[in-house]
């Protein structure tokens, strides 16, 4: 396959940008395409080979086919076997452990009924596990969280491996679930695929109030009863959590990549609009399978779509987890991206939204004020996103600048219009900041990232003595003992993929916020994760290489002065190069390593820890 063939699916007449593409966006995209060319062409060759096969009923043996349709109603069997009508595979993350996935219980029947109206069929091809980081945060179960993404990807592949499907609908919302579904689907890149979200729960306790009560609890000023009451008011009904963490960042990125029905990300569950958007997803995938527009997912997700997702993440101050997840997603499509690409884009992409933890508004306010449609339109008009991309809609990415509504029982779309609240959403002409919400840090401590969109201006540079911890529990104990009431950089090591599966350390945010609120200059440096919930405290996270893999974080000692400078992008221990080069690295305590591998099923993930790549390589356990 030639480089020309690589882009032959692009229709130049569909270019609809109001401006020329920004030179930095163009340059970053070009270098990604160049470094990825061999892997991408090999990927597309596999996709083309799979696309040329005949319909499943013709390829399968009689016994295989009989097994595949034995559970279907007689009419559906006839459609699949005799009429060879489109048969859509549904992969669902439904469980009633996650509030975000509770609404998905009803979706398969809605989808099947809609497809039958159009002469097609659907089968629930399989389910994928879906754990809740909110439940496991700060517990041993959190150490399974990151690797659950790869388990979900494998479960998606198992579901689709029956090879009976003309296309697929992927039902999932939260942190690792969407990246896992997307990775799995890209290994079936010849299939048309549409993602089906469930939407956020209605707003509960205001975010400022919730954060204040958490900080008071960390100081012992309120008891468990008051804290539990606040949390129950915040997380109170079916739907996604309403802060702009990884789950809702997932939804923004899928909109920017054109993999949703436009504007469906942040519509609340349990209403007519949500149900009709689900039916529209079924109609969309059916339209693709019937040749109305040939856009299998492997061709939609090219380097331009990946860059669009990166830009949307930066423009909205989204989750730092996606500096890991989208590296893995891109790799699944034969594309290689790294943190330098994110950093270069961050220098030119303005921050357009303030949603908690970057502001006080939640995603329901974000949606009411213009939502994803406003953001995508602003970025397209400024030449900061590629308009010449394939999507699941025939009119391309411009369709994703519009918001859905129901008029007299009919689904329709309208332009997102101007921002309804400039404290939540701003145009490119007057952004919250001229640069994106993420920054690459480098220095003698390795490579790291920091989310700066919520960090106060007087805290973007921290220089203070280090206090080194081997676990997040040890740091919390030091806080409770009053040992951290000073300027301090808390170094929490042995938290990377190979050490313990790279858990989020979100439970460290309240004590650090308390210290910062008391006037101390504090920061966190770790090879672990902080997620989209990291907020106003400077946190250099994902430090790579990790300490357990011999990274320089293992060389830090109590009292070393550490400088975290998110303006210049520096993460440095302030000692001479000669002394640093001679200093030995600590070894991960064997007792800690054994502890990290036992209990709540962690034994089963030993191989993943052993083979995991670095955070910057996507922490992939299958590559």
């Amino acid at each position: 396959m030639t480089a020309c063939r690589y882009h032959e699916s692009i229709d130049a007449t569909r270019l609809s940008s109001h401006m020329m593409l920004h030179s930095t966006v163009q340059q970053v995209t070009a270098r990604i395409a160049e470094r990825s060319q061999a892997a991408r062409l090999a990927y597309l060759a596999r996709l083309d080979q799979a696309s040329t096969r005949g319909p499943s009923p013709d390829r399968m043996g009689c016994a295989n086919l009989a097994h595949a349709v034995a559970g279907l109603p007689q009419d559906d069997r006839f459609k699949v076997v005799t009429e060879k009508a489109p048969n859509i595979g549904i992969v669902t993350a439904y469980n009633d452990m996650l509030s975000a996935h509770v609404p998905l219980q009803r979706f398969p029947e809605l989808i099947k009924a809609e497809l039958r109206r159009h002469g097609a069929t659907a089968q629930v091809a399989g389910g994928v596990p879906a754990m809740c980081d909110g439940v496991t945060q700060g517990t041993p179960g959190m150490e399974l969280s990151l690797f659950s993404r790869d388990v979900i990807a494998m479960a998606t592949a198992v579901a689709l491996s029956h090879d009976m499907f003309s296309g697929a609908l992927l039902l999932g919302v939260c942190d690792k679930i969407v990246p896992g579904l997307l990775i799995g689907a890209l290994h079936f890149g010849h299939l048309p695929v549409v993602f089906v979200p469930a939407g956020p729960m209605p707003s509960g306790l205001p975010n400022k109030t919730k954060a204040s009560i958490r900080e008071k609890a960390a100081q012992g000023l309120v008891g468990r009863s008051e804290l539990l009451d606040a949390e129950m008011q915040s997380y109170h009904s079916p739907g996604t959590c309403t802060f702009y963490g990884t789950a809702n960042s997932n939804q923004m990125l899928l909109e920017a990549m054109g993999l949703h029905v436009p504007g469906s990300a942040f519509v609340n569950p349990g209403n007519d609009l949500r149900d009709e958007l689900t039916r529209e997803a079924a109609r969309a995938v059916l339209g693709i399978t019937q040749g109305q527009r040939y856009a299998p997912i492997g061709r939609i997700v090219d380097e331009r779509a990946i860059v669009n997702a990166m830009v949307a993440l930066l423009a909205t101050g989204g989750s730092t987890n996606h500096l890991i997840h989208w590296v893995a997603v891109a790799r699944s499509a034969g594309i290689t991206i790294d943190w330098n690409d994110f950093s270069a884009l961050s220098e030119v992409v303005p921050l357009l939204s303030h949603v908690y933890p970057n502001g006080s508004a939640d995603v329901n306010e974000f949606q009411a004020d213009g939502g994803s449609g406003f953001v995508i339109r602003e970025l397209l008009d400024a030449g900061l996103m590629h308009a010449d991309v394939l999507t699941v809609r025939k009119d391309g990415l411009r369709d994703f600048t519009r918001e859905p509504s129901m008029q007299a029982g009919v689904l329709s779309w309208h332009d997102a219009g101007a921002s309804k609240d400039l404290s939540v959403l701003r145009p490119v002409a007057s952004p919250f900041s001229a640069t994106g919400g993420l920054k690459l840090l480098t220095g003698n401590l390795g490579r790291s990232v920091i989310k700066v969109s919520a960090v106060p201006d007087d805290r973007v540079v921290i220089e203070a003595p280090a206090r080194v911890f081997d676990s997040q529990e040890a740091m919390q104990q030091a806080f409770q003992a009053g040992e951290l009431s000073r300027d301090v950089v808390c170094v929490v090591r042995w938290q990377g993929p190979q050490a313990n599966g790279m858990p989020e350390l979100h439970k460290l945010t309240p004590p650090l916020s308390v210290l910062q609120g008391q006037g101390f200059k504090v920061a966190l440096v770790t090879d672990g994760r902080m997620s989209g919930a990291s907020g106003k405290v400077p946190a250099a996270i994902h430090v790579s290489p990790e300490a357990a893999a011999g990274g320089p974080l293992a060389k830090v000692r109590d009292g070393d002065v550490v400088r975290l400078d998110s303006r210049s992008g520096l993460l440095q221990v302030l000692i001479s190069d000669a002394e640093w080069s001679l200093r030995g690295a600590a070894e991960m305590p064997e007792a800690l390593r054994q502890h990290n591998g036992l209990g709540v099923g962690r034994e089963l993930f030993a191989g993943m820890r052993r083979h995991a790549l670095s955070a910057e390589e996507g922490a992939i356990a299958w590559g």
Side-chain angles (χ1 to χ4, degrees), residues 203-219 222 226-235 242 356-357 359-362 365 510 536:
S203 301
L205 190 71
N207 287 308
K208 281 186 176 179
T209 306
K210 176 179 68 176
S212 174
I213 293 173
R214 284 178 173 177
E215 290 180 19
K216 288 178 180 177
Q219 299 173 80
V222 300
E226 187 171 348
L227 177 61
L228 180 60
D229 181 61
E231 299 292 354
M232 295 285 279
Q233 289 182 57
S234 300
Y235 308 107
T242 60
Y356 186 81
S360 59
D362 66 13
E365 294 169 85
K536 61 188 178 181

Side-chain angles (χ1 to χ4, degrees), residues 158-418:
V158 170
L160 296 177
S161 69
H162 293 106
D163 205 20
M164 275 287 297
F165 308 112
S166 313
L169 291 167
L170 304 185
L171 281 54
V173 180
C174 287
D175 295 21
K176 264 59 64 185
I177 293 90
V178 164
L181 288 167
L182 183 49
I183 290 167
L186 285 168
H187 287 268
F188 291 78
H190 62 288
L191 291 177
V193 173
V194 178
F195 278 76
V196 186
M201 68 178 69
S203 301
L205 190 71
N207 287 308
K208 281 186 176 179
T209 306
K210 176 179 68 176
S212 174
I213 293 173
R214 284 178 173 177
E215 290 180 19
K216 288 178 180 177
Q219 299 173 80
L221 300 177
V222 300
R224 180 178 174 85
S225 177
E226 187 171 348
L227 177 61
L228 180 60
D229 181 61
E231 299 292 354
M232 295 285 279
Q233 289 182 57
S234 300
Y235 308 107
H236 57 87
S237 68
T240 317
C241 304
T242 60
F243 69 91
Y244 194 55
T246 309
N248 287 315
S249 297
N250 281 336
Q251 303 311 303
M252 183 70 226
L253 269 59
L254 289 180
E255 294 273 342
M257 293 174 75
L259 294 174
H260 271 168
V261 170
S264 60
F266 302 119
V267 174
N268 300 123
N271 58 50
D272 290 344
L273 177 57
R274 178 83 272 164
D275 285 354
E276 194 59 27
L277 287 167
T278 300
R279 295 186 187 98
E280 180 67 13
R283 294 191 289 267
V285 77
L286 185 60
I288 300 169
T289 65
Q290 293 177 331
Q292 294 176 16
R293 186 159 182 267
Y294 180 66
I297 191 169
R299 289 203 176 271
I300 291 176
V301 180
D302 64 7
E303 73 277 1
R304 295 160 305 159
I306 292 291
V307 167
N308 282 352
M310 295 161 75
V311 168
L313 180 74
L314 295 164
T316 54
S319 170
T320 53
N321 277 326
H322 291 307
L323 276 80
I324 299 174
H325 294 325
W326 248 248
V327 173
V329 166
R331 179 167 175 160
S332 299
I335 298 165
T336 301
I337 60 174
D338 59 32
W339 292 347
N340 290 327
D341 301 324
F342 281 98
S343 183
L345 291 171
S346 189
E347 291 299 314
V348 301
V349 174
L351 183 64
L352 303 184
S353 70
H354 263 186
V355 185
Y356 186 81
N358 306 323
S360 59
D362 66 13
V363 294
N364 290 311
E365 294 169 85
F366 171 79
Q367 175 72 3
D369 295 332
S372 58
F374 173 91
V375 171
I376 293 171
R377 187 196 67 216
E378 286 294 309
L379 294 170
L380 281 173
D381 288 353
L384 291 165
M385 291 181 81
H386 293 273
D388 59 330
V389 291
L390 295 167
T391 74
V392 301
R393 304 284 284 194
K394 65 183 179 62
D395 293 327
L397 199 58
R398 276 286 160 187
D399 255 5
F400 291 79
T401 67
R402 301 186 296 155
E403 294 298 308
S405 61
M406 292 287 285
Q407 304 292 334
V410 177
L411 180 62
S412 62
W413 281 265
H414 59 273
D415 186 82

